[in-house]
Amino acid sequence: NAGVTQTPKFQVLKTGQSMTLQCAQDMNHEYMSWYRQDPGMGLRLIHYSVGAGITDQGEVPNGYNVSRSTTEDFPLRLLSAAPSQTSVYFCASSEGRNNYGYTFGSGTRLTVV
Amino acid sequence: GNSVTQMEGPVTLSEEAFLTINCTYTATGYPSLFWYVQYPGEGLQLLLKATKADDKGSNKGFEATYRKETTSFHLEKGSVQVSDSAVYFCALSQGNTPLVFGKGTRLSVIA
């Protein structure tokens, strides 16, 4: 009964480094999303997917890549980390269309120095 | 595009006080509406939802009614507890698109 699992929980990167934030769900949900949470900004959508092989950009996609090769996994890649990407990142999944709520992971706190 | 506006925080209340957190939305058609709660150091949890006009969502003593005429989904609780201290997010979803969130309202309840 794991739900949505995000790893790592904490990460410090140097400017210019790359890394992948992992997200996995075991509920066979079709929909998955990545959000970033910044003080006073709420949650902003980075990328989302409505099924394996399908991804789309959200409100703040620059500097991030995603892929969805399986239903279970939806990794978020930072190509060249910048201090502006310091944030808390949340992955979420949902069964489908808008009648369903999303289940959230516990988040990854990323600091770029 | 779709958007959600919720009241600015922080909100500080004494235990057993009445809570209202205002939320209004902009969307075409009939979105689904949600309230999420985030306790310190944790992810977001679904608190309640409503999927059509005049629906009332309720959970843990919290309620919100989907008002199409005022495009609102205000969160209420009759008697708050210290354990309700958290950040509350109003959100909407429509069609294939993921959740759109308000900026969140921090609630602090003091004993």
mmCIF file with all atom_site columns, all heavy atoms in Angstrom, chain B residues 90-111:
data_model
loop_
_atom_site.group_PDB
_atom_site.id
_atom_site.type_symbol
_atom_site.label_atom_id
_atom_site.label_alt_id
_atom_site.label_comp_id
_atom_site.label_asym_id
_atom_site.label_entity_id
_atom_site.label_seq_id
_atom_site.pdbx_PDB_ins_code
_atom_site.Cartn_x
_atom_site.Cartn_y
_atom_site.Cartn_z
_atom_site.occupancy
_atom_site.B_iso_or_equiv
_atom_site.pdbx_formal_charge
_atom_site.auth_seq_id
_atom_site.auth_comp_id
_atom_site.auth_asym_id
_atom_site.auth_atom_id
_atom_site.pdbx_PDB_model_num
ATOM 1   N N   . CYS B 1 90  ? -7.175  25.272 -2.191  1.00 0.00 ? 90  CYS B N   1
ATOM 2   C CA  . CYS B 1 90  ? -8.329  25.057 -3.055  1.00 0.00 ? 90  CYS B CA  1
ATOM 3   C C   . CYS B 1 90  ? -7.811  24.729 -4.457  1.00 0.00 ? 90  CYS B C   1
ATOM 4   O O   . CYS B 1 90  ? -6.779  25.278 -4.879  1.00 0.00 ? 90  CYS B O   1
ATOM 5   C CB  . CYS B 1 90  ? -9.182  26.323 -3.077  1.00 0.00 ? 90  CYS B CB  1
ATOM 6   S SG  . CYS B 1 90  ? -10.735 26.199 -3.959  1.00 0.00 ? 90  CYS B SG  1
ATOM 7   N N   . ALA B 1 91  ? -8.491  23.840 -5.161  1.00 0.00 ? 91  ALA B N   1
ATOM 8   C CA  . ALA B 1 91  ? -8.009  23.433 -6.482  1.00 0.00 ? 91  ALA B CA  1
ATOM 9   C C   . ALA B 1 91  ? -9.178  23.051 -7.372  1.00 0.00 ? 91  ALA B C   1
ATOM 10  O O   . ALA B 1 91  ? -10.265 22.711 -6.884  1.00 0.00 ? 91  ALA B O   1
ATOM 11  C CB  . ALA B 1 91  ? -7.041  22.249 -6.357  1.00 0.00 ? 91  ALA B CB  1
ATOM 12  N N   . LEU B 1 92  ? -8.952  23.116 -8.675  1.00 0.00 ? 92  LEU B N   1
ATOM 13  C CA  . LEU B 1 92  ? -9.955  22.658 -9.621  1.00 0.00 ? 92  LEU B CA  1
ATOM 14  C C   . LEU B 1 92  ? -9.314  21.789 -10.681 1.00 0.00 ? 92  LEU B C   1
ATOM 15  O O   . LEU B 1 92  ? -8.113  21.875 -10.941 1.00 0.00 ? 92  LEU B O   1
ATOM 16  C CB  . LEU B 1 92  ? -10.713 23.826 -10.252 1.00 0.00 ? 92  LEU B CB  1
ATOM 17  C CG  . LEU B 1 92  ? -10.019 24.757 -11.243 1.00 0.00 ? 92  LEU B CG  1
ATOM 18  C CD1 . LEU B 1 92  ? -9.935  24.159 -12.653 1.00 0.00 ? 92  LEU B CD1 1
ATOM 19  C CD2 . LEU B 1 92  ? -10.781 26.077 -11.331 1.00 0.00 ? 92  LEU B CD2 1
ATOM 20  N N   . SER B 1 93  ? -10.143 20.963 -11.295 1.00 0.00 ? 93  SER B N   1
ATOM 21  C CA  . SER B 1 93  ? -9.700  20.112 -12.387 1.00 0.00 ? 93  SER B CA  1
ATOM 22  C C   . SER B 1 93  ? -10.807 20.059 -13.421 1.00 0.00 ? 93  SER B C   1
ATOM 23  O O   . SER B 1 93  ? -11.982 20.016 -13.084 1.00 0.00 ? 93  SER B O   1
ATOM 24  C CB  . SER B 1 93  ? -9.364  18.707 -11.888 1.00 0.00 ? 93  SER B CB  1
ATOM 25  O OG  . SER B 1 93  ? -8.941  17.889 -12.945 1.00 0.00 ? 93  SER B OG  1
ATOM 26  N N   . GLN B 1 94  ? -10.405 20.040 -14.680 1.00 0.00 ? 94  GLN B N   1
ATOM 27  C CA  . GLN B 1 94  ? -11.390 20.036 -15.755 1.00 0.00 ? 94  GLN B CA  1
ATOM 28  C C   . GLN B 1 94  ? -10.861 19.251 -16.932 1.00 0.00 ? 94  GLN B C   1
ATOM 29  O O   . GLN B 1 94  ? -9.737  19.484 -17.377 1.00 0.00 ? 94  GLN B O   1
ATOM 30  C CB  . GLN B 1 94  ? -11.715 21.474 -16.176 1.00 0.00 ? 94  GLN B CB  1
ATOM 31  C CG  . GLN B 1 94  ? -12.884 21.609 -17.105 1.00 0.00 ? 94  GLN B CG  1
ATOM 32  C CD  . GLN B 1 94  ? -13.357 23.039 -17.219 1.00 0.00 ? 94  GLN B CD  1
ATOM 33  O OE1 . GLN B 1 94  ? -12.589 23.974 -17.060 1.00 0.00 ? 94  GLN B OE1 1
ATOM 34  N NE2 . GLN B 1 94  ? -14.633 23.215 -17.482 1.00 0.00 ? 94  GLN B NE2 1
ATOM 35  N N   . GLY B 1 95  ? -11.663 18.317 -17.422 1.00 0.00 ? 95  GLY B N   1
ATOM 36  C CA  . GLY B 1 95  ? -11.275 17.525 -18.577 1.00 0.00 ? 95  GLY B CA  1
ATOM 37  C C   . GLY B 1 95  ? -10.008 16.747 -18.323 1.00 0.00 ? 95  GLY B C   1
ATOM 38  O O   . GLY B 1 95  ? -9.846  16.100 -17.300 1.00 0.00 ? 95  GLY B O   1
ATOM 39  N N   . ASN B 1 96  ? -9.080  16.824 -19.277 1.00 0.00 ? 96  ASN B N   1
ATOM 40  C CA  . ASN B 1 96  ? -7.825  16.086 -19.185 1.00 0.00 ? 96  ASN B CA  1
ATOM 41  C C   . ASN B 1 96  ? -6.747  16.805 -18.387 1.00 0.00 ? 96  ASN B C   1
ATOM 42  O O   . ASN B 1 96  ? -5.669  16.257 -18.184 1.00 0.00 ? 96  ASN B O   1
ATOM 43  C CB  . ASN B 1 96  ? -7.267  15.863 -20.591 1.00 0.00 ? 96  ASN B CB  1
ATOM 44  C CG  . ASN B 1 96  ? -7.536  14.457 -21.077 1.00 0.00 ? 96  ASN B CG  1
ATOM 45  O OD1 . ASN B 1 96  ? -8.087  13.638 -20.358 1.00 0.00 ? 96  ASN B OD1 1
ATOM 46  N ND2 . ASN B 1 96  ? -7.151  14.184 -22.305 1.00 0.00 ? 96  ASN B ND2 1
ATOM 47  N N   . THR B 1 97  ? -7.014  18.014 -17.971 1.00 0.00 ? 97  THR B N   1
ATOM 48  C CA  . THR B 1 97  ? -5.955  18.820 -17.374 1.00 0.00 ? 97  THR B CA  1
ATOM 49  C C   . THR B 1 97  ? -5.784  18.495 -15.900 1.00 0.00 ? 97  THR B C   1
ATOM 50  O O   . THR B 1 97  ? -6.747  18.180 -15.208 1.00 0.00 ? 97  THR B O   1
ATOM 51  C CB  . THR B 1 97  ? -6.248  20.313 -17.527 1.00 0.00 ? 97  THR B CB  1
ATOM 52  O OG1 . THR B 1 97  ? -7.488  20.605 -16.875 1.00 0.00 ? 97  THR B OG1 1
ATOM 53  C CG2 . THR B 1 97  ? -6.346  20.697 -18.989 1.00 0.00 ? 97  THR B CG2 1
ATOM 54  N N   . PRO B 1 98  ? -4.544  18.584 -15.409 1.00 0.00 ? 98  PRO B N   1
ATOM 55  C CA  . PRO B 1 98  ? -4.291  18.330 -13.989 1.00 0.00 ? 98  PRO B CA  1
ATOM 56  C C   . PRO B 1 98  ? -4.858  19.439 -13.105 1.00 0.00 ? 98  PRO B C   1
ATOM 57  O O   . PRO B 1 98  ? -5.409  20.411 -13.586 1.00 0.00 ? 98  PRO B O   1
ATOM 58  C CB  . PRO B 1 98  ? -2.760  18.303 -13.901 1.00 0.00 ? 98  PRO B CB  1
ATOM 59  C CG  . PRO B 1 98  ? -2.273  18.158 -15.285 1.00 0.00 ? 98  PRO B CG  1
ATOM 60  C CD  . PRO B 1 98  ? -3.303  18.816 -16.160 1.00 0.00 ? 98  PRO B CD  1
ATOM 61  N N   . LEU B 1 99  ? -4.666  19.263 -11.807 1.00 0.00 ? 99  LEU B N   1
ATOM 62  C CA  . LEU B 1 99  ? -5.173  20.215 -10.844 1.00 0.00 ? 99  LEU B CA  1
ATOM 63  C C   . LEU B 1 99  ? -4.526  21.585 -11.010 1.00 0.00 ? 99  LEU B C   1
ATOM 64  O O   . LEU B 1 99  ? -3.317  21.694 -11.224 1.00 0.00 ? 99  LEU B O   1
ATOM 65  C CB  . LEU B 1 99  ? -4.901  19.724 -9.426  1.00 0.00 ? 99  LEU B CB  1
ATOM 66  C CG  . LEU B 1 99  ? -5.693  18.505 -8.963  1.00 0.00 ? 99  LEU B CG  1
ATOM 67  C CD1 . LEU B 1 99  ? -5.084  17.958 -7.688  1.00 0.00 ? 99  LEU B CD1 1
ATOM 68  C CD2 . LEU B 1 99  ? -7.144  18.869 -8.757  1.00 0.00 ? 99  LEU B CD2 1
ATOM 69  N N   . VAL B 1 100 ? -5.360  22.619 -10.865 1.00 0.00 ? 100 VAL B N   1
ATOM 70  C CA  . VAL B 1 100 ? -4.891  23.998 -10.781 1.00 0.00 ? 100 VAL B CA  1
ATOM 71  C C   . VAL B 1 100 ? -5.156  24.448 -9.349  1.00 0.00 ? 100 VAL B C   1
ATOM 72  O O   . VAL B 1 100 ? -6.285  24.349 -8.860  1.00 0.00 ? 100 VAL B O   1
ATOM 73  C CB  . VAL B 1 100 ? -5.638  24.904 -11.776 1.00 0.00 ? 100 VAL B CB  1
ATOM 74  C CG1 . VAL B 1 100 ? -5.239  26.359 -11.559 1.00 0.00 ? 100 VAL B CG1 1
ATOM 75  C CG2 . VAL B 1 100 ? -5.344  24.467 -13.204 1.00 0.00 ? 100 VAL B CG2 1
ATOM 76  N N   . PHE B 1 101 ? -4.119  24.950 -8.686  1.00 0.00 ? 101 PHE B N   1
ATOM 77  C CA  . PHE B 1 101 ? -4.210  25.276 -7.267  1.00 0.00 ? 101 PHE B CA  1
ATOM 78  C C   . PHE B 1 101 ? -4.280  26.771 -7.014  1.00 0.00 ? 101 PHE B C   1
ATOM 79  O O   . PHE B 1 101 ? -3.711  27.572 -7.750  1.00 0.00 ? 101 PHE B O   1
ATOM 80  C CB  . PHE B 1 101 ? -2.971  24.745 -6.531  1.00 0.00 ? 101 PHE B CB  1
ATOM 81  C CG  . PHE B 1 101 ? -2.964  23.264 -6.332  1.00 0.00 ? 101 PHE B CG  1
ATOM 82  C CD1 . PHE B 1 101 ? -2.377  22.427 -7.268  1.00 0.00 ? 101 PHE B CD1 1
ATOM 83  C CD2 . PHE B 1 101 ? -3.530  22.701 -5.205  1.00 0.00 ? 101 PHE B CD2 1
ATOM 84  C CE1 . PHE B 1 101 ? -2.357  21.056 -7.085  1.00 0.00 ? 101 PHE B CE1 1
ATOM 85  C CE2 . PHE B 1 101 ? -3.518  21.329 -5.011  1.00 0.00 ? 101 PHE B CE2 1
ATOM 86  C CZ  . PHE B 1 101 ? -2.941  20.514 -5.956  1.00 0.00 ? 101 PHE B CZ  1
ATOM 87  N N   . GLY B 1 102 ? -4.933  27.127 -5.913  1.00 0.00 ? 102 GLY B N   1
ATOM 88  C CA  . GLY B 1 102 ? -4.758  28.441 -5.339  1.00 0.00 ? 102 GLY B CA  1
ATOM 89  C C   . GLY B 1 102 ? -3.422  28.493 -4.604  1.00 0.00 ? 102 GLY B C   1
ATOM 90  O O   . GLY B 1 102 ? -2.700  27.499 -4.520  1.00 0.00 ? 102 GLY B O   1
ATOM 91  N N   . LYS B 1 103 ? -3.091  29.657 -4.044  1.00 0.00 ? 103 LYS B N   1
ATOM 92  C CA  . LYS B 1 103 ? -1.776  29.841 -3.433  1.00 0.00 ? 103 LYS B CA  1
ATOM 93  C C   . LYS B 1 103 ? -1.692  29.286 -2.014  1.00 0.00 ? 103 LYS B C   1
ATOM 94  O O   . LYS B 1 103 ? -0.611  29.283 -1.422  1.00 0.00 ? 103 LYS B O   1
ATOM 95  C CB  . LYS B 1 103 ? -1.395  31.319 -3.452  1.00 0.00 ? 103 LYS B CB  1
ATOM 96  C CG  . LYS B 1 103 ? -1.147  31.830 -4.860  1.00 0.00 ? 103 LYS B CG  1
ATOM 97  C CD  . LYS B 1 103 ? -0.610  33.243 -4.867  1.00 0.00 ? 103 LYS B CD  1
ATOM 98  C CE  . LYS B 1 103 ? -0.308  33.666 -6.304  1.00 0.00 ? 103 LYS B CE  1
ATOM 99  N NZ  . LYS B 1 103 ? 0.249   35.046 -6.370  1.00 0.00 ? 103 LYS B NZ  1
ATOM 100 N N   . GLY B 1 104 ? -2.803  28.846 -1.469  1.00 0.00 ? 104 GLY B N   1
ATOM 101 C CA  . GLY B 1 104 ? -2.776  28.251 -0.142  1.00 0.00 ? 104 GLY B CA  1
ATOM 102 C C   . GLY B 1 104 ? -3.051  29.259 0.959   1.00 0.00 ? 104 GLY B C   1
ATOM 103 O O   . GLY B 1 104 ? -2.719  30.442 0.840   1.00 0.00 ? 104 GLY B O   1
ATOM 104 N N   . THR B 1 105 ? -3.658  28.777 2.027   1.00 0.00 ? 105 THR B N   1
ATOM 105 C CA  . THR B 1 105 ? -3.952  29.592 3.201   1.00 0.00 ? 105 THR B CA  1
ATOM 106 C C   . THR B 1 105 ? -3.453  28.853 4.428   1.00 0.00 ? 105 THR B C   1
ATOM 107 O O   . THR B 1 105 ? -3.869  27.726 4.693   1.00 0.00 ? 105 THR B O   1
ATOM 108 C CB  . THR B 1 105 ? -5.463  29.840 3.348   1.00 0.00 ? 105 THR B CB  1
ATOM 109 O OG1 . THR B 1 105 ? -5.968  30.476 2.178   1.00 0.00 ? 105 THR B OG1 1
ATOM 110 C CG2 . THR B 1 105 ? -5.750  30.712 4.570   1.00 0.00 ? 105 THR B CG2 1
ATOM 111 N N   . ARG B 1 106 ? -2.545  29.501 5.154   1.00 0.00 ? 106 ARG B N   1
ATOM 112 C CA  . ARG B 1 106 ? -2.008  28.873 6.363   1.00 0.00 ? 106 ARG B CA  1
ATOM 113 C C   . ARG B 1 106 ? -2.926  29.159 7.535   1.00 0.00 ? 106 ARG B C   1
ATOM 114 O O   . ARG B 1 106 ? -3.270  30.304 7.810   1.00 0.00 ? 106 ARG B O   1
ATOM 115 C CB  . ARG B 1 106 ? -0.601  29.394 6.670   1.00 0.00 ? 106 ARG B CB  1
ATOM 116 C CG  . ARG B 1 106 ? 0.037   28.743 7.891   1.00 0.00 ? 106 ARG B CG  1
ATOM 117 C CD  . ARG B 1 106 ? 1.455   29.233 8.100   1.00 0.00 ? 106 ARG B CD  1
ATOM 118 N NE  . ARG B 1 106 ? 2.305   28.921 6.955   1.00 0.00 ? 106 ARG B NE  1
ATOM 119 C CZ  . ARG B 1 106 ? 2.900   27.757 6.755   1.00 0.00 ? 106 ARG B CZ  1
ATOM 120 N NH1 . ARG B 1 106 ? 2.740   26.770 7.639   1.00 0.00 ? 106 ARG B NH1 1
ATOM 121 N NH2 . ARG B 1 106 ? 3.670   27.574 5.701   1.00 0.00 ? 106 ARG B NH2 1
ATOM 122 N N   . LEU B 1 107 ? -3.340  28.114 8.218   1.00 0.00 ? 107 LEU B N   1
ATOM 123 C CA  . LEU B 1 107 ? -4.204  28.230 9.396   1.00 0.00 ? 107 LEU B CA  1
ATOM 124 C C   . LEU B 1 107 ? -3.412  27.825 10.628  1.00 0.00 ? 107 LEU B C   1
ATOM 125 O O   . LEU B 1 107 ? -2.796  26.758 10.658  1.00 0.00 ? 107 LEU B O   1
ATOM 126 C CB  . LEU B 1 107 ? -5.420  27.317 9.258   1.00 0.00 ? 107 LEU B CB  1
ATOM 127 C CG  . LEU B 1 107 ? -6.287  27.151 10.509  1.00 0.00 ? 107 LEU B CG  1
ATOM 128 C CD1 . LEU B 1 107 ? -6.965  28.463 10.866  1.00 0.00 ? 107 LEU B CD1 1
ATOM 129 C CD2 . LEU B 1 107 ? -7.328  26.046 10.302  1.00 0.00 ? 107 LEU B CD2 1
ATOM 130 N N   . SER B 1 108 ? -3.440  28.682 11.634  1.00 0.00 ? 108 SER B N   1
ATOM 131 C CA  . SER B 1 108 ? -2.866  28.362 12.942  1.00 0.00 ? 108 SER B CA  1
ATOM 132 C C   . SER B 1 108 ? -3.972  28.438 13.973  1.00 0.00 ? 108 SER B C   1
ATOM 133 O O   . SER B 1 108 ? -4.674  29.452 14.066  1.00 0.00 ? 108 SER B O   1
ATOM 134 C CB  . SER B 1 108 ? -1.748  29.343 13.309  1.00 0.00 ? 108 SER B CB  1
ATOM 135 O OG  . SER B 1 108 ? -0.665  29.225 12.425  1.00 0.00 ? 108 SER B OG  1
ATOM 136 N N   . VAL B 1 109 ? -4.129  27.361 14.740  1.00 0.00 ? 109 VAL B N   1
ATOM 137 C CA  . VAL B 1 109 ? -5.137  27.317 15.796  1.00 0.00 ? 109 VAL B CA  1
ATOM 138 C C   . VAL B 1 109 ? -4.419  27.255 17.130  1.00 0.00 ? 109 VAL B C   1
ATOM 139 O O   . VAL B 1 109 ? -3.562  26.381 17.341  1.00 0.00 ? 109 VAL B O   1
ATOM 140 C CB  . VAL B 1 109 ? -6.065  26.099 15.637  1.00 0.00 ? 109 VAL B CB  1
ATOM 141 C CG1 . VAL B 1 109 ? -7.124  26.095 16.750  1.00 0.00 ? 109 VAL B CG1 1
ATOM 142 C CG2 . VAL B 1 109 ? -6.726  26.105 14.270  1.00 0.00 ? 109 VAL B CG2 1
ATOM 143 N N   . ILE B 1 110 ? -4.751  28.197 18.007  1.00 0.00 ? 110 ILE B N   1
ATOM 144 C CA  . ILE B 1 110 ? -4.080  28.261 19.305  1.00 0.00 ? 110 ILE B CA  1
ATOM 145 C C   . ILE B 1 110 ? -5.025  27.816 20.404  1.00 0.00 ? 110 ILE B C   1
ATOM 146 O O   . ILE B 1 110 ? -6.233  28.108 20.364  1.00 0.00 ? 110 ILE B O   1
ATOM 147 C CB  . ILE B 1 110 ? -3.522  29.662 19.569  1.00 0.00 ? 110 ILE B CB  1
ATOM 148 C CG1 . ILE B 1 110 ? -4.627  30.727 19.415  1.00 0.00 ? 110 ILE B CG1 1
ATOM 149 C CG2 . ILE B 1 110 ? -2.391  29.975 18.595  1.00 0.00 ? 110 ILE B CG2 1
ATOM 150 C CD1 . ILE B 1 110 ? -4.171  32.124 19.736  1.00 0.00 ? 110 ILE B CD1 1
ATOM 151 N N   . ALA B 1 111 ? -4.468  27.133 21.383  1.00 0.00 ? 111 ALA B N   1
ATOM 152 C CA  . ALA B 1 111 ? -5.275  26.609 22.489  1.00 0.00 ? 111 ALA B CA  1
ATOM 153 C C   . ALA B 1 111 ? -5.679  27.700 23.470  1.00 0.00 ? 111 ALA B C   1
ATOM 154 O O   . ALA B 1 111 ? -4.983  28.731 23.565  1.00 0.00 ? 111 ALA B O   1
ATOM 155 C CB  . ALA B 1 111 ? -4.481  25.528 23.215  1.00 0.00 ? 111 ALA B CB  1
#
